[in-house]
Amino acid sequence: MAMDDRQQILRIEALCKELYESTDSSQRNQAQEALVAIANSDDCLTKCQYLLENSTIIESHLLYAHCRRSDDATSILVPSADVINVDIILFFNPAAKTNIDQYYYYPSLILWISPSWQDCALSILIIIISPYAQMFASQSLIKLVSRTTSSLPVDHRLEMRNYLLNYLATRLKLTNFVVQALMKLLARVTKYSWFEMQKEQYIFQTIVNDVMNKFLQGNSIDTCVIGIQILTNLTIEMNQVSDPSRSFAKQRKVAASFRDSVLLDMFNIACSFLKQLTKKSIDQNNQPQITLVSSLLQLTVQVLSFDFIGSCVDEVFDDVSTVQIPTSWRQAFLDGSLLDLFFNLYGVLTSSLTALALSCLVHLASVRRSLFTNNERPIFLNALIQGIKSVLEKPQYLSDPNCYHEFCRLLARLKSNYQLGELVKADNYSLVIDLIAKFTTTSLQEVWQCAPNSVHYLLGLWQRLVASLPYVKSSSPHHLNDYCPQVTKAYITSRLESVQLVIRDGLEDPMEDYRVLEQQLEQLSTIARCDYEQTCSLVMSLFDQAASSYQECLQQQSQRGDGNFLAYEGQLAWLVYIIGSVVAGRTLFYIAEESDVLDGELICRVLQLMKLLEERNPQALSEKLDLALLSFFEQFRKIYIGDQMQKTAKVYSCIGERLGLNDESMVLSIFINKISVRKIVKLESIQFVLKNHTDQHFPFLGIQPNITFKGMRHRTLFYTAIGRFLMVDLGEDTESFVQFLLPLTLKFEQFKNQIASTSVNEEQVKRTIIGLCRDLRGLAAAFVNRSIYMMLFDWLAIELWYHDPNLTTPVLKLMTEIVQNRSQRLQFEISSPNGVLLFREVSKMICTYGIAICFSMLKAALSGNYVNFGIFRLYGDDAFDNALGMFLRMLLSIPSQDLLDYPKLGKAYYSLIEALAQDHASYINNLEPNVLLIILSTLSQGFVALDVNICTFCCTALDYLLANLFKEISKAKKSNSTTQEQSSLLRVLEHKSDVLQQILDTVLNIVMFEDCKNQWTMSRPLLGLILLNEKYFSELTANIISSQHVSKQEKMSSCFSSLMDGVEFSLFTKNRERFAQNLSGFRQGVRTLLGASISLQADTSSANMMTS
């Protein structure tokens, strides 16, 4: 190696060491700048190769080691201080001035060398392999390949790939993070060169064969592990198609080619190796073998998580997702030994590997139903159920939280991917459903403390099982009437028992996680309705016991800190939540008078509890009970208050007999008295708060460092509350409003003084801004009255500082609240530019900050009706285009599954898409094809979301898009023009017609077979989907009819005929209303034909919406 090259390597390594190890920030910054310059230099490739090949060479000082001669060897003792991180030691005789004689891999402090060596002074050349330098070289090459693939000749890229394969095959002791970086580099080079050819051959598509030959055939376990990990990293890289610097279409083309050419081979390799390993017992003490099994399972998970059809870019996590295995893979899944392979790994591996094996099974259970024929599907299901049975018979291995979680996901897939009618016909169904019920009750009673997110999947399984009862046509017993009451009892009693544990052991209170609580109560509302009489009997018994004990505490005037008092209070809060939940389940089942009577009994108990609290000790009511009662009010309002519910005599007759409340107006009066603001605002204490909301009286409004950023969030709620109190009697009294805002005005002045000061306390300034933004956001949320809101708007002056999330989040939320045009409160004078100026600020923020909050902000601005967006393009203002462009970039950066996994993000996104489709459909219609496909894919996913609001947003958005598309097609037909320019959306759908067909399948399935709570909204896009896919709809209709029993085919055909009866080829309002009416009758006819006794309440509601 030349001296100059050696010096460069030494310099790079020194910089890497400074960057990763130095405690001096200025030194790290200088090292980073120098390394960035090297990475961007023209000879970066050469320098990186030197680093990987030669690493660091350091000449040590002369070590005069004593050599002790023996008959067969000479030993040299090397001091430990000189051999730290030593990988290779080279020996040579300086007196003879010869070249290096031998290389020795350094196994210990004693080196054995040739007997021919004499006692002498040896100069030792130490080669230190620096992982930091290797990491730098790997990352630099990744950036080089990603940035300038086209500038690297094919020969250079092929040479790099072969070099990396050889490097990884010969350097088995590299640091793990270096190995991962090199594998990522290899995968990136392969991906970006996938279609490169030499001599009419795709030279980079031989990667699997190359790995097989070099790593997996007759090599050591360590070498095999490297080979499997290379394939895993390659799969991950190929599955990522969100690189904004490259065409989405090209990335999908590469991914599709990879899927079709090598992905099945990789799956077979993983399964083949696992089968070989399981033929012999796996030794858990054999670490190399365990590492190999782990790598094989990770490869299997990545293969099954692959985005087979280009609909999403993340692993399958949500219950409604399906693994879209290609048809060409059928044979691999028809073999029953595939499921057995992974089930046999359960209990013989470590907990982490068992969790991976169960994760593989989750994906296998999620394989699309259509992969199998009607005869093949029961065979696969039987094997799956048999495997689940074997796991449930040995539940001790599920003590690990990860294993437990994956198994709960696996159970949830049973009903997500298979119908109850299929499950009851499976072998051992009766035994398995009994084991699942025992597992669920045990989990609810014992595991809820450590795995609340896993319990969600168990409750979801039972919820779906019960919800599908009306559609079961099989005569085989389902046993749900026996087991659902057990599940319900286990959930209720475990929640009540948790109260004592929270008080005694200081555990987290599950009642305080309102999102999880709401989700579980929604699931319980369905489960509890199975054998509702038994459920109500249990709830009433527990409620009476808790209420009686609580009443005794009130009579004895027990202190609130008393353990028994808090326990009874917490139990009552849980029971009030549960009563509200089971009452809300009424909409999901056939409405019977007996159920209404039971509802009345439960409701009476809650109302009696309210009366008891108010009469005995008005100050004793706790926050938990308050929130529980409000939740109950909301559920009661949804079910039993409204024009359609006035004739529900059984509920109100029961309440009238017990409490003298004979109709809904009297019940409403109780609710109103409970939360009446006008009475509260007159209180002296409230008036004091309105006039003295300062840190002097309320310390949490100050900027003390002992108050956390999370704790400062409560300021928003505080100002929302007092803002509503202020609105009650304020009217247009500007003087009183200014007086009310005086404390905030003083804070603004304080902030200005802090900024102007020569010695700025950064932390104090930051906290001042955060506090002001949270305070103002609370007021903006409270002021829905136009006159009061405009007073606030005129008073405000907003500027942004810093890039700290603790600061930017409250600022963004404040801005989101300001642009919300609630109750048309934002109405500017015709000559005022405030609307345009406000949107400009919105555009700047969106182009600078977060995702979900910015989605909400942009949606509010687009739908506020206070900005004429045509002005921006007319005057060359790019604020509008910048905002929409940033929205698209943010969308491309989000895994589509996250839109369903994160509720706030999902609601913000889908509501924004609805606003764009409504008023800016032309913008969406002309987006790039890859972006359009992503948007359509997210809409397809949104239809099956658990949140009804998301589904409604999707219906409305798709309806607007289809309406514009329909107009374009109709216009083209009338003009008979072949030269008319088509929109991007129309061109995409002409080449990808299956996109709308898939959505049509989904919507029709929901209408026919699911509990469709927004049928009228569903009818809007469904008509457009049918008219734009008439041929496919005819085929789909024929398939559905032919799948029915011969005796029902004629009636099913009649239902479909009635669906389109009198419907014309148009989307005019009259035609839409006709179709919506037909759809109501169609749904009723289909569900009657399938044996469903379903409430027609949703249908009645839909009809009312159409006529309103």
Side-chain angles (χ1 to χ4, degrees):
M1 179 188 298
M3 181 61 67
D4 290 342
D5 294 333
R6 175 194 280 183
Q7 292 299 325
Q8 286 188 8
I9 292 175
L10 289 172
R11 177 172 176 264
I12 292 175
E13 177 165 348
L15 291 171
C16 291
K17 189 171 183 180
E18 289 178 3
L19 178 63
Y20 290 106
E21 294 184 352
S22 176
T23 57
D24 187 344
S25 59
S26 61
Q27 195 175 30
R28 289 199 306 269
N29 292 336
Q30 291 175 2
Q32 182 178 10
E33 292 176 1
L35 289 172
V36 169
I38 293 172
N40 293 330
S41 62
D42 294 335
D43 59 346
C44 172
L45 182 60
T46 305
K47 291 178 180 177
C48 291
Q49 188 172 358
Y50 275 139
L51 282 172
L52 292 174
E53 186 62 35
N54 298 291
S55 301
T56 298
I57 297 181
I58 302 177
E59 278 194 48
S60 72
H61 58 282
L62 287 178
L63 293 177
Y64 293 91
H66 176 70
C67 300
R68 179 172 50 84
R69 183 70 178 268
S70 64
D71 293 335
D72 57 349
T74 299
S75 65
I76 299 177
L77 179 61
V78 182
S80 60
D82 294 316
V83 295
I84 296 175
N85 295 327
V86 172
D87 190 85
I88 301 174
I89 293 185
L90 309 179
F91 297 86
F92 67 95
N93 189 334
K97 297 182 179 179
T98 59
N99 292 327
I100 296 172
D101 291 316
Q102 296 186 40
Y103 293 74
Y104 291 85
Y105 286 90
Y106 182 71
S108 65
L109 295 182
I110 300 298
L111 300 173
W112 295 93
I113 62 175
S114 169
S116 63
W117 287 69
Q118 303 296 322
D119 293 351
C120 62
L122 300 179
S123 176
I124 301 179
L125 189 67
I126 303 178
I127 297 184
I128 300 179
I129 306 298
S130 170
Y132 294 147
Q134 292 171 322
M135 184 67 176
F136 167 73
S138 304
Q139 294 292 350
S140 298
L141 288 174
I142 290 174
K143 293 179 180 178
L144 178 66
V145 170
S146 303
R147 185 177 66 246
T148 59
T149 303
S150 59
S151 66
L152 290 177
V154 177
D155 292 340
H156 286 190
R157 281 179 270 158
L158 183 61
E159 180 183 354
M160 182 186 295
R161 191 201 71 161
N162 294 335
Y163 173 80
L164 290 169
L165 287 172
N166 292 328
Y167 192 89
L168 289 168
T170 56
R171 313 290 176 94
L172 300 179
K173 302 299 182 182
L174 293 172
T175 307
N176 183 60
F177 63 79
V178 174
V179 173
Q180 295 303 316
L182 291 172
M183 289 179 178
K184 183 176 181 180
L185 171 59
L186 175 60
R188 186 69 56 86
V189 172
T190 304
K191 176 181 178 180
Y192 289 166
S193 308
W194 188 252
F195 289 118
E196 297 292 350
M197 299 183 69
Q198 278 187 355
K199 299 179 181 180
E200 299 182 355
Q201 290 186 346
Y202 293 108
I203 51 178
F204 285 87
Q205 295 187 18
T206 62
I207 182 67
V208 175
N209 291 332
D210 294 337
V211 171
M212 280 287 296
N213 296 332
K214 191 173 290 291
F215 294 88
L216 304 181
Q217 292 184 351
N219 290 297
S220 65
I221 290 183
D222 290 339
T223 307
C224 289
V225 168
I226 296 296
I228 296 298
Q229 289 179 351
I230 289 174
L231 297 180
T232 303
N233 279 269
L234 182 62
T235 306
I236 295 172
E237 181 66 34
M238 289 293 186
N239 201 28
Q240 295 174 351
V241 293
S242 57
D243 187 348
S245 65
R246 282 173 168 77
S247 167
F248 177 83
K250 289 183 179 179
Q251 294 182 76
R252 277 305 312 165
K253 184 178 179 182
V254 170
S257 174
F258 176 79
R259 173 200 64 198
D260 297 336
S261 58
V262 300
L263 196 58
L264 178 58
D265 294 336
M266 295 166 64
F267 181 69
N268 289 333
I269 288 171
C271 293
S272 176
F273 269 82
L274 285 171
K275 287 178 181 178
Q276 292 178 24
L277 289 169
T278 53
K279 287 180 181 178
K280 302 178 182 180
S281 60
I282 298 176
D283 184 4
Q284 296 194 21
N285 296 320
N286 187 339
Q287 189 57 43
Q289 190 180 55
I290 292 297
T291 303
L292 177 59
V293 174
S294 175
S295 300
L296 290 167
L297 292 173
Q298 289 174 1
L299 174 60
T300 306
V301 169
Q302 292 302 327
V303 170
L304 294 175
S305 302
F306 196 81
D307 184 10
F308 291 98
I309 61 174
S311 61
C312 62
V313 293
D314 204 1
E315 183 180 358
V316 177
F317 280 112
D318 193 73
D319 295 345
V320 298
S321 299
T322 301
V323 179
Q324 300 289 345
I325 294 294
T327 304
S328 58
W329 292 33
R330 284 186 72 252
Q331 198 58 41
F333 287 80
L334 295 180
D335 184 3
S337 63
L338 181 61
L339 288 172
D340 294 338
L341 170 64
F342 294 98
F343 276 117
N344 290 338
L345 293 174
Y346 172 78
V348 301
L349 300 173
T350 61
S351 57
S352 60
L353 297 187
T354 301
L356 277 174
L358 290 172
S359 180
C360 293
L361 288 167
V362 172
H363 288 83
L364 291 173
S366 305
V367 170
R368 62 184 174 94
R369 294 167 49 83
S370 55
L371 185 69
F372 308 102
T373 64
N374 291 335
N375 293 328
E376 295 165 347
R377 192 177 303 114
I379 298 174
F380 188 82
L381 178 58
N382 282 334
L384 180 62
I385 288 182
Q386 182 62 31
I388 290 175
K389 172 178 169 288
S390 66
V391 175
L392 288 169
E393 289 174 341
K394 297 182 292 184
Q396 64 270 23
Y397 297 108
L398 298 177
S399 57
D400 179 76
N402 293 327
C403 296
Y404 174 79
H405 181 74
E406 292 299 331
F407 184 66
C408 290
R409 290 182 62 205
L410 177 60
L411 290 179
R413 293 307 306 170
L414 278 178
K415 184 57 188 73
S416 297
N417 217 30
Y418 297 95
Q419 299 174 2
L420 180 57
E422 296 171 326
L423 293 174
V424 297
K425 294 178 182 178
D427 298 339
N428 296 316
Y429 167 78
S430 298
L431 176 58
V432 171
I433 196 67
D434 178 68
L435 291 172
I436 292 175
K438 292 178 180 177
F439 177 75
T440 304
T441 54
T442 302
S443 297
L444 291 171
Q445 292 169 346
E446 300 177 3
V447 189
W448 65 268
Q449 303 173 42
C450 58
N453 294 328
S454 305
V455 170
H456 155 75
Y457 291 103
L458 294 177
L459 293 176
L461 166 65
W462 290 99
Q463 178 192 28
R464 287 190 167 98
L465 287 172
V466 175
S468 60
L469 278 176
Y471 312 109
V472 178
K473 295 177 286 185
S474 173
S475 59
S476 302
H478 52 71
H479 302 298
L480 295 184
N481 289 330
D482 299 326
Y483 297 121
C484 284
Q486 297 178 18
V487 173
T488 303
K489 180 178 180 180
Y491 180 85
I492 295 174
T493 55
S494 67
R495 302 308 105 167
L496 299 185
E497 292 169 0
S498 72
V499 176
Q500 286 284 8
L501 294 175
V502 170
I503 297 173
R504 184 187 65 203
D505 301 335
L507 300 178
E508 291 187 9
D509 192 347
M511 202 186 307
E512 293 181 356
D513 190 343
Y514 192 74
R515 184 185 63 82
V516 174
L517 173 64
E518 187 178 27
Q519 189 179 58
Q520 292 182 355
L521 290 175
E522 183 179 357
Q523 294 169 325
L524 180 69
S525 67
T526 304
I527 303 170
R529 283 275 169 170
C530 188
D531 197 343
Y532 191 49
E533 184 175 356
Q534 187 172 343
T535 298
C536 291
S537 176
L538 171 67
V539 174
M540 286 187 285
S541 173
L542 294 172
F543 191 96
D544 291 343
Q545 294 175 18
S548 176
S549 301
Y550 189 66
Q551 186 176 11
E552 290 180 6
C553 289
L554 290 177
Q555 291 173 344
Q556 297 171 6
Q557 297 184 349
S558 300
Q559 298 297 319
R560 288 191 54 80
D562 181 71
N564 291 333
F565 185 92
L566 293 175
Y568 298 140
E569 190 176 72
Q571 290 175 358
L572 284 174
W574 270 113
L575 289 168
V576 171
Y577 273 123
I578 290 169
I579 289 174
S581 168
V582 298
V583 167
R586 180 179 186 270
T587 58
L588 304 177
F589 286 81
Y590 176 72
I591 300 174
E593 290 186 353
E594 296 81 5
S595 297
D596 287 348
V597 171
L598 292 172
D599 282 351
E601 291 290 337
L602 294 174
I603 293 166
C604 283
R605 281 167 168 77
V606 177
L607 296 177
Q608 285 175 323
L609 174 64
M610 284 179 52
K611 185 177 181 181
L612 169 68
L613 294 172
E614 292 176 356
E615 290 178 353
R616 295 283 182 177
N617 190 354
Q619 303 300 322
L621 194 57
S622 72
E623 179 184 353
K624 291 180 180 180
L625 266 176
D626 260 334
L627 293 174
L629 288 170
L630 290 174
S631 175
F632 166 78
F633 293 164
E634 177 64 14
Q635 303 304 330
F636 179 86
R637 181 194 63 79
K638 289 179 181 178
I639 304 303
Y640 286 113
I641 292 181
D643 294 338
Q644 300 173 23
M645 298 301 171
Q646 290 180 352
K647 298 180 180 180
T648 312
K650 290 296 180 180
V651 171
Y652 286 105
S653 62
C654 179
I655 298 174
E657 292 173 3
R658 298 278 296 275
L659 304 177
L661 306 174
N662 298 315
D663 55 35
E664 65 176 17
S665 61
M666 298 181 70
V667 177
L668 269 176
S669 65
I670 294 180
F671 295 171
I672 293 172
N673 290 334
K674 175 68 179 173
I675 56 177
S676 175
V677 177
R678 290 196 175 274
K679 290 184 177 180
I680 298 175
V681 79
K682 302 293 185 183
L683 297 176
E684 183 179 347
S685 57
I686 298 299
Q687 288 296 318
F688 177 84
V689 173
L690 292 175
K691 297 175 182 178
N692 299 278
H693 47 99
T694 64
D695 56 353
Q696 178 182 355
H697 300 283
F698 301 94
F700 69 91
L701 296 178
I703 55 174
Q704 292 88 346
N706 61 322
I707 301 177
T708 64
F709 289 119
K710 185 176 181 180
M712 295 179 74
R713 296 178 182 177
H714 299 299
R715 297 173 63 150
T716 301
L717 184 61
F718 174 77
Y719 270 97
T720 300
I722 66 174
R724 288 173 179 167
F725 287 139
L726 178 69
M727 285 180 57
V728 174
D729 295 321
L730 182 64
E732 298 183 2
D733 188 350
T734 306
E735 185 177 345
S736 297
F737 184 77
V738 172
Q739 188 66 30
F740 170 78
L741 289 177
L742 184 58
L744 297 181
T745 304
L746 294 175
K747 289 181 182 179
F748 264 113
E749 294 298 327
Q750 178 187 356
F751 169 70
K752 292 178 182 179
N753 294 332
Q754 290 172 343
I755 292 294
S757 174
T758 55
S759 57
V760 177
N761 186 325
E762 183 177 340
E763 183 68 18
Q764 193 175 27
V765 172
K766 185 192 301 184
R767 288 179 173 272
T768 301
I769 300 172
I770 295 172
L772 279 170
C773 290
R774 294 205 178 279
D775 298 346
L776 292 173
R777 181 188 168 212
L779 291 178
F783 295 161
V784 295
N785 179 280
R786 178 178 178 266
S787 61
I788 299 178
Y789 186 76
M790 293 310 296
M791 290 183 201
L792 178 65
F793 190 86
D794 293 337
W795 178 85
L796 277 174
I798 303 167
E799 297 182 28
L800 292 180
W801 297 269
Y802 302 98
H803 296 273
D804 187 334
N806 289 317
L807 186 146
T808 56
T809 298
V811 173
L812 289 170
K813 288 187 175 181
L814 168 61
M815 193 63 177
T816 303
E817 185 58 47
I818 289 173
V819 298
Q820 289 278 359
N821 196 9
R822 290 195 180 93
S823 304
Q824 299 300 309
R825 63 186 186 180
L826 274 173
Q827 291 185 10
F828 302 108
E829 300 297 331
I830 193 170
S831 59
S832 172
N834 285 343
V836 174
L837 295 175
L838 182 58
F839 186 81
R840 280 184 181 174
E841 295 301 321
V842 170
S843 177
K844 291 177 185 177
M845 289 189 177
I846 289 173
C847 294
T848 308
Y849 295 101
I851 294 181
I853 300 175
C854 287
F855 283 176
S856 299
M857 187 192 308
L858 182 57
K859 186 267 178 183
L862 291 177
S863 57
N865 295 324
Y866 51 80
V867 184
N868 184 340
F869 292 100
I871 290 178
F872 291 98
R873 290 180 182 172
L874 180 64
Y875 292 100
D877 191 329
D878 59 359
F880 181 63
D881 292 333
N882 288 345
L884 295 184
M886 180 54 65
F887 155 66
L888 295 178
R889 286 195 289 274
M890 288 190 287
L891 172 60
L892 294 176
S893 70
I894 304 172
S896 58
Q897 193 60 41
D898 286 357
L899 298 175
L900 298 181
D901 290 342
Y902 298 93
K904 289 183 180 179
L905 175 62
K907 287 183 179 180
Y909 166 74
Y910 284 106
S911 64
L912 174 55
I913 285 294
E914 179 194 36
L916 283 172
Q918 179 176 358
D919 298 319
H920 305 277
S922 60
Y923 177 83
I924 295 181
N925 288 349
N926 290 286
L927 291 172
E928 293 184 8
N930 62 308
V931 180
L932 280 171
L933 286 174
I934 291 177
I935 291 177
L936 291 174
S937 173
T938 58
L939 289 177
S940 179
Q941 290 178 325
F943 278 108
V944 293
L946 297 177
D947 191 326
V948 178
N949 292 326
I950 290 179
C951 180
T952 301
F953 291 145
C954 291
C955 290
T956 307
L958 185 61
D959 181 37
Y960 285 124
L961 294 178
L962 293 177
N964 279 274
L965 190 63
F966 194 84
K967 289 179 182 177
E968 182 180 355
I969 295 174
S970 300
K971 186 177 180 181
K973 287 182 178 179
K974 291 179 180 179
S975 63
N976 295 321
S977 173
T978 58
T979 60
Q980 182 177 349
E981 183 178 357
Q982 294 181 329
S983 67
S984 179
L985 178 60
L986 182 56
R987 292 196 301 271
V988 167
L989 294 179
E990 285 180 348
H991 292 87
K992 297 278 292 184
S993 58
D994 59 317
V995 175
L996 289 186
Q997 293 171 4
Q998 181 181 355
I999 298 177
L1000 174 56
D1001 281 346
T1002 302
V1003 176
L1004 192 61
N1005 182 73
I1006 293 172
V1007 171
M1008 292 178 64
F1009 304 112
E1010 301 291 338
D1011 179 48
C1012 185
K1013 297 180 180 180
N1014 52 349
Q1015 177 189 310
W1016 182 85
T1017 309
M1018 282 282 193
S1019 72
R1020 314 300 283 180
L1022 182 57
L1023 176 58
L1025 290 168
I1026 292 174
L1027 296 182
L1028 292 172
N1029 298 274
E1030 288 185 298
K1031 181 179 178 181
Y1032 177 76
F1033 180 68
S1034 299
E1035 296 173 355
L1036 181 62
T1037 300
N1039 289 336
I1040 294 175
I1041 294 173
S1042 63
S1043 66
Q1044 303 299 313
H1045 190 272
V1046 177
S1047 62
K1048 295 184 178 181
Q1049 289 183 359
E1050 184 177 351
K1051 292 183 179 179
M1052 183 63 76
S1053 176
S1054 176
C1055 289
F1056 274 101
S1057 298
S1058 65
L1059 176 62
M1060 302 306 293
D1061 182 32
V1063 177
E1064 302 173 352
F1065 190 81
S1066 75
L1067 293 179
F1068 295 138
T1069 302
K1070 186 177 181 179
N1071 200 46
R1072 287 176 180 271
E1073 292 177 355
R1074 175 71 178 178
F1075 177 77
Q1077 294 172 357
N1078 289 355
L1079 183 64
S1080 179
F1082 166 78
R1083 182 167 179 263
Q1084 180 180 355
V1086 168
R1087 302 181 86 184
T1088 301
L1089 180 62
L1090 296 178
S1093 300
I1094 301 295
S1095 165
L1096 299 182
Q1097 176 184 342
D1099 300 338
T1100 307
S1101 175
S1102 300
N1104 289 342
M1105 288 180 66
M1106 290 185 293
T1107 58
S1108 60

